[in-house]
């Protein structure tokens, strides 16, 4: 009984789980185990060595009497759980109490109690975890010591010998087994509680894992139905339902749904609905009440504290998941807005030069000027539409690039040539708008250097396993080594520009596909620079594509 009571006390749990005890914890433990030892003394059996008679509940002993008791169990447990200081303190108090009861073994038993506490404390120092065999050995050894002390100290010796012969072996076995049984009860209760807590934690994690995907778009009839089905499988109820402020969103189980309820500011409420007992708890989405979670039971007895705790835990879990989904949605919108802003920053830097070229061609080559104007129109239209579109195909991106390059080839008629190596079968892959053009524009700028007599730009699009590899090369002087490490990672200052276009492209690729799709800059051995990146064949923005895209 005392072992079970101990498991209910918080300070005793601290003693079990902590390697070092504070002074106030030691004092509490000493007084509690001393009380246990004193009860063990009072509940013992008084033995009269002259008559051989036994009497129960002896509060005062005659000179010829001794007492067979379980005092050692309390002292041994104090030393095993609390160490030698707690064992010594408990042994002193319990031993002094035994001495005050009198009898011809008072000094021997009192002294043995102190030594028992020290012995048990020694086992505590040597053992990280107390086993049943340790408890039995400590209890039996302490009782053996007490029998030895009686033979050595108690007078007359003949009377002490008779006592030991009568009670020695039974007390050694009883106190050894009692100490082991005491420990077994404590371990069993605590292990069962820990097992129940672990099962509850597993259930909570399983519920969290299965329900979170259904709450990403908020709480509606469809998601509520799926949530109720999941919860009903995990929690032993007759039915589970979810309702919002207006109506019942979902009901799974037997019986009939309860009418709309109002919990108010309460953590939960219990009501009767037909033949069922219903407990309901609010689903708090931050400061907002998103609805109610209801558990149905056939009788009021089934609506236990455990059921209420489960209800409160699951409703809190659902509320937190709704809040996280709302935060995730807000973040997604913010990310989308940032992408739009990045797209809007990419403007046709060569607009005025292109217009001047068109004006100069209008009189001497009107057909060429007309084709150039159509290309410019297509280019500008694509730039404007890119600020509202989320995705585009590689085919549309390539058409946009060709419109840009046709203008540049006209401007630099004999100085720039463009080569295409395109796999037409993969141009359906999706990319964010204005991804390819800034890279090509950068290649044109770097290839058109004063030291380069003829500029060449090569655009390559090919498939590699489940990815599409896009590469743009030029034959310019190449990017400086110190700039290779930072270009695309941040805007850079140079004679040819700030690099903001490449920086924005790189950010969008990483935000949409992950680090595996970032821009890779390579200085070519033959001269010039190669810029490449990869996108998944599906080209859709999701976790799977981010994880499966391959960088080349």
């Amino acid at each position: 009984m005392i072992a079970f009571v101990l498991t209910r006390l918080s300070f005793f749990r601290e003693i079990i789980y902590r390697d070092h005890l504070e002074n106030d914890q030691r004092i509490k433990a000493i007084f509690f185990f001393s009380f246990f030892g004193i009860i063990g003394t009072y509940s013992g059996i008084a033995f009269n060595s002259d008559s051989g008679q036994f009497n129960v509940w002896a509060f005062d002993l005659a000179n010829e009497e001794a007492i067979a008791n379980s005092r050692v169990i309390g002292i041994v447990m104090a030393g095993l759980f609390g160490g030698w200081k707690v064992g010594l303190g408990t042994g002193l108090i319990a031993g002094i109490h035994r001495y005050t009861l009198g009898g011809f073994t008072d000094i021997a038993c009192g002294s043995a109690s102190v030594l028992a506490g020290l012995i048990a404390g020694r086992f505590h120092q040597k053992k990280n975890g107390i086993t049943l065999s340790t408890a039995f050995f400590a209890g039996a050894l302490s009782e053996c010591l007490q029998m030895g002390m009686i033979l050595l100290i108690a007078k007359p010796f003949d009377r002490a010998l008779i006592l030991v012969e009568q009670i020695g072996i039974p007390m050694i076995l009883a106190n050894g087994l009692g100490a082991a049984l005491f420990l077994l009860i404590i371990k069993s209760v605590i292990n069962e509680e820990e097992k129940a807590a672990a099962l509850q934690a597993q259930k909570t994690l399983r519920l969290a894992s299965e329900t979170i995907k259904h709450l990403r778009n908020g709480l509606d009839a469809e998601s509520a139905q799926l949530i109720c089905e999941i919860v009903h499988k995990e929690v032993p109820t007759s039915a589970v339902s979810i309702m919002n402020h207006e109506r019942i969103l979902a009901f799974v189980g037997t019986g009939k749904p309860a009418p709309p309820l109002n919990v108010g500011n309460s953590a939960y409420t219990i009501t009767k609905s037909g033949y069922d007992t219903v407990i309901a708890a609010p689903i708090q989405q931050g400061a907002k009440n998103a609805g109610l979670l209801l558990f149905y039971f056939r009788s009021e007895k089934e609506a236990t504290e455990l059921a209420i705790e489960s209800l409160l835990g699951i409703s809190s879990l659902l509320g937190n998941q709704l809040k996280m989904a709302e935060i995730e949605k807000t973040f997604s919108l913010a990310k989308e807005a940032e992408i739009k802003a990045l797209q809007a920053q990419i403007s046709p830097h060569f607009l005025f030069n292109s217009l001047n070229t068109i004006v100069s061609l209008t009189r001497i080559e009107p057909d060429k000027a007309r084709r150039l104007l159509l290309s410019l129109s297509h280019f500008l239209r694509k730039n404007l539409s890119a600020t509202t579109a989320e995705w585009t195909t590689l085919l549309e991106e390539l058409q946009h690039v060709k419109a840009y390059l046709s203008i540049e080839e006209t401007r630099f008629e004999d100085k720039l040539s463009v080569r295409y190596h395109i796999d037409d079968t993969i141009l359906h892959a999706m990319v964010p708008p204005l991804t390819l053009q800034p890279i090509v524009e950068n290649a044109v700028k770097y290839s058109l250097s004063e030291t380069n007599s003829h500029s060449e730009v090569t655009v390559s699009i090919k498939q590699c396993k489940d990815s599409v590899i896009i590469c743009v090369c030029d034959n310019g002087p190449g990017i400086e080594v110190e700039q290779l490490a930072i270009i695309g990672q941040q805007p850079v200052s140079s004679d040819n520009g700030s690099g903001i276009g490449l920086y924005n492209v790189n950010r969008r690729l990483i935000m949409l596909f992950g680090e595996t799709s970032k821009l890779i800059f390579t200085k070519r051995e033959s001269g010039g620079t190669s810029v490449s990146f990869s996108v998944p064949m599906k080209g859709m923005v999701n976790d799977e594509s981010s994880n499966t895209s391959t960088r080349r």
Side-chain angles (χ1 to χ4, degrees):
M1 179 187 69
I2 294 175
F4 178 78
V5 170
L6 274 176
T7 62
R8 307 293 95 193
L9 303 178
S10 59
F11 88 87
F12 183 72
R13 291 172 180 267
E14 293 177 357
I15 291 175
I16 293 176
Y17 292 117
R18 294 185 61 174
D19 294 329
H20 176 73
L21 299 181
E22 303 296 334
N23 289 331
D24 60 332
Q25 292 172 326
R26 288 196 185 99
I27 293 171
K28 288 179 182 179
I30 288 171
F31 279 106
F32 187 88
F33 283 112
S34 297
F35 176 74
F36 181 14
I38 291 171
I39 293 296
T41 301
Y42 278 135
S43 61
I45 299 174
F47 173 73
N48 191 306
S49 59
D50 290 341
S51 64
Q53 298 295 316
F54 289 92
N55 297 304
V56 298
W57 291 99
F59 295 95
D60 189 21
L61 299 177
N63 188 55
E64 68 277 5
E65 289 183 322
I67 186 168
N69 57 78
S70 60
R71 175 179 63 256
V72 166
I73 297 177
I75 300 171
V76 167
M77 289 298 109
L80 289 177
F81 285 119
W84 71 270
K85 291 182 180 179
V86 176
L88 176 62
T90 303
L92 279 171
I93 295 175
I96 291 171
H97 170 264
R98 169 62 188 89
Y99 175 77
T100 61
L101 294 182
F104 73 97
T105 62
D106 52 358
I107 297 177
C109 291
S111 302
S113 297
V114 177
L115 293 176
L118 292 173
I119 290 173
R122 185 63 179 170
F123 281 105
H124 169 80
Q125 292 177 0
K126 290 183 177 180
K127 300 290 185 179
N128 293 326
I130 306 171
T131 63
L132 295 179
S133 59
T134 300
F136 175 82
F137 184 73
L141 180 61
S142 297
E143 196 57 50
C144 286
L145 176 65
Q146 183 167 253
M147 294 299 109
M149 294 287 288
I150 291 173
L151 292 174
L152 288 174
I153 298 176
K155 302 297 181 183
F157 178 77
D158 292 342
R159 185 178 292 172
L161 181 61
I162 293 172
L163 175 67
V164 172
E165 288 177 345
Q166 290 289 326
I167 70 171
I169 293 177
M171 282 191 65
I172 290 170
L173 293 176
N175 282 285
L177 290 172
L181 180 61
F182 188 98
L183 180 64
L184 178 63
I185 293 171
I186 291 174
K187 283 194 169 186
S188 297
V189 173
I190 292 177
N191 288 342
E192 285 299 320
E193 290 182 352
E194 290 179 346
K195 183 178 179 181
L199 291 174
Q200 187 66 28
Q202 289 179 0
K203 182 186 293 185
T204 302
L205 291 173
R206 191 162 55 246
L207 283 169
S209 175
E210 293 180 2
T211 56
I212 190 169
K213 57 188 175 184
H214 301 303
L215 293 174
R216 285 176 176 167
N217 294 323
L219 188 64
D220 54 21
E222 181 180 357
S223 61
Q225 181 70 22
L226 293 170
I227 297 299
C228 287
E229 291 174 359
I230 293 169
V231 173
H232 188 51
K233 290 179 183 178
E234 296 289 344
V235 183
T237 62
S238 59
V240 175
S241 73
I242 293 177
M243 62 175 60
N244 59 14
H245 301 291
E246 301 172 354
R247 61 188 179 89
I248 296 171
L249 295 176
F251 180 88
V252 174
T254 60
K256 294 182 179 181
L261 300 174
N262 183 14
V263 177
N265 295 325
S266 303
Y268 68 94
T269 184
I270 302 179
T271 60
K272 291 288 291 183
S273 176
Y275 296 103
D276 291 323
T277 297
V278 182
I279 53 176
I283 301 173
Q284 289 293 136
Q285 185 179 349
K288 180 177 68 174
N289 188 332
L292 290 178
L293 175 65
L294 298 92
F295 285 178
Y296 295 72
F297 299 95
R298 286 301 181 189
S299 66
E300 192 171 348
K301 291 181 179 179
E302 294 180 15
T304 61
E305 287 295 327
L306 179 60
I308 293 173
E309 288 298 323
S310 297
L311 173 71
L312 294 175
I314 295 172
S315 62
S316 176
L317 171 67
L318 297 178
N320 289 334
Q321 287 181 335
L322 285 170
K323 185 178 180 181
M324 288 174 61
E326 186 178 34
I327 293 172
E328 184 179 346
K329 187 176 181 181
T330 303
F331 175 76
S332 178
L333 291 173
K335 185 171 73 171
E336 184 179 341
E338 183 179 2
I339 291 173
K340 298 295 183 184
L342 292 174
Q343 290 175 339
Q345 289 176 12
I346 303 176
S347 58
H349 303 293
F350 69 107
L351 175 61
F352 296 109
N353 291 331
S354 299
L355 290 175
N356 289 333
T357 302
I358 293 171
V359 169
S360 65
L361 291 174
T362 301
R363 293 186 179 180
I364 57 176
E365 295 185 73
D367 290 338
K368 197 172 186 178
R370 179 178 177 277
R371 289 194 301 269
L372 199 61
L373 191 59
L374 289 174
S375 295
L376 180 60
S377 173
H378 177 86
F379 178 84
L380 294 177
R381 186 165 56 250
K382 179 65 178 178
N383 262 44
L384 292 174
S385 65
T387 60
T388 57
E390 294 185 13
W391 296 95
T392 187
T393 63
L394 273 175
L395 177 61
E396 292 176 333
E397 275 292 286
L398 189 59
Q399 290 173 347
H400 184 225
V401 166
K402 286 182 176 180
Y404 164 76
L405 287 174
S406 67
I407 297 171
E408 293 293 75
E409 283 181 297
T410 302
R411 288 180 57 207
F412 306 99
E413 188 170 3
D414 297 322
K415 198 175 181 181
L416 174 66
S417 61
V418 181
R419 296 180 180 180
Y420 297 95
H421 300 289
I422 309 297
D423 183 352
D424 294 333
T425 63
I426 57 175
L427 294 181
H428 62 280
M430 306 296 288
V431 292
L434 297 180
T435 298
L436 191 54
Q437 187 273 330
I439 301 174
V440 173
E441 182 180 348
N442 182 76
V444 171
K445 283 183 179 180
Y446 274 90
S447 65
L448 290 169
S449 64
E450 294 180 358
T451 59
N452 199 2
S453 60
H454 186 79
S455 302
E456 290 185 359
V457 174
T458 303
V459 180
S460 171
I461 301 176
K462 62 181 180 179
Q463 182 177 355
C464 181
K465 296 182 180 180
D466 295 331
S467 298
V468 178
I469 310 298
I470 298 97
C471 182
V472 178
C473 303
D474 66 71
N475 66 338
I479 302 175
E480 297 295 331
V481 176
E482 59 271 13
Q483 287 190 332
L484 277 175
I486 61 174
I487 190 167
Q489 306 297 319
Q490 63 187 52
V492 294
S493 298
S494 69
D495 297 335
N496 292 324
S498 65
I500 189 68
L502 294 178
Y503 169 69
N504 287 341
V505 169
N506 196 36
R507 285 199 65 188
R508 282 188 292 153
L509 288 171
I510 293 173
M511 290 173 69
L512 293 171
F513 298 113
E515 285 286 335
T516 53
S517 290
K518 69 180 181 180
L519 296 179
I520 300 175
F521 297 85
T522 307
K523 191 168 184 178
R524 303 170 67 194
E525 293 182 2
S526 59
T529 305
S530 170
V531 182
S532 62
F533 65 95
S534 65
V535 296
M537 280 295 296
K538 292 182 179 179
M540 299 305 293
V541 55
N542 52 42
D543 293 339
E544 287 77 10
S545 63
S546 296
N547 292 331
T548 58
S549 58
T550 306
R551 188 180 72 192
R552 292 289 186 273

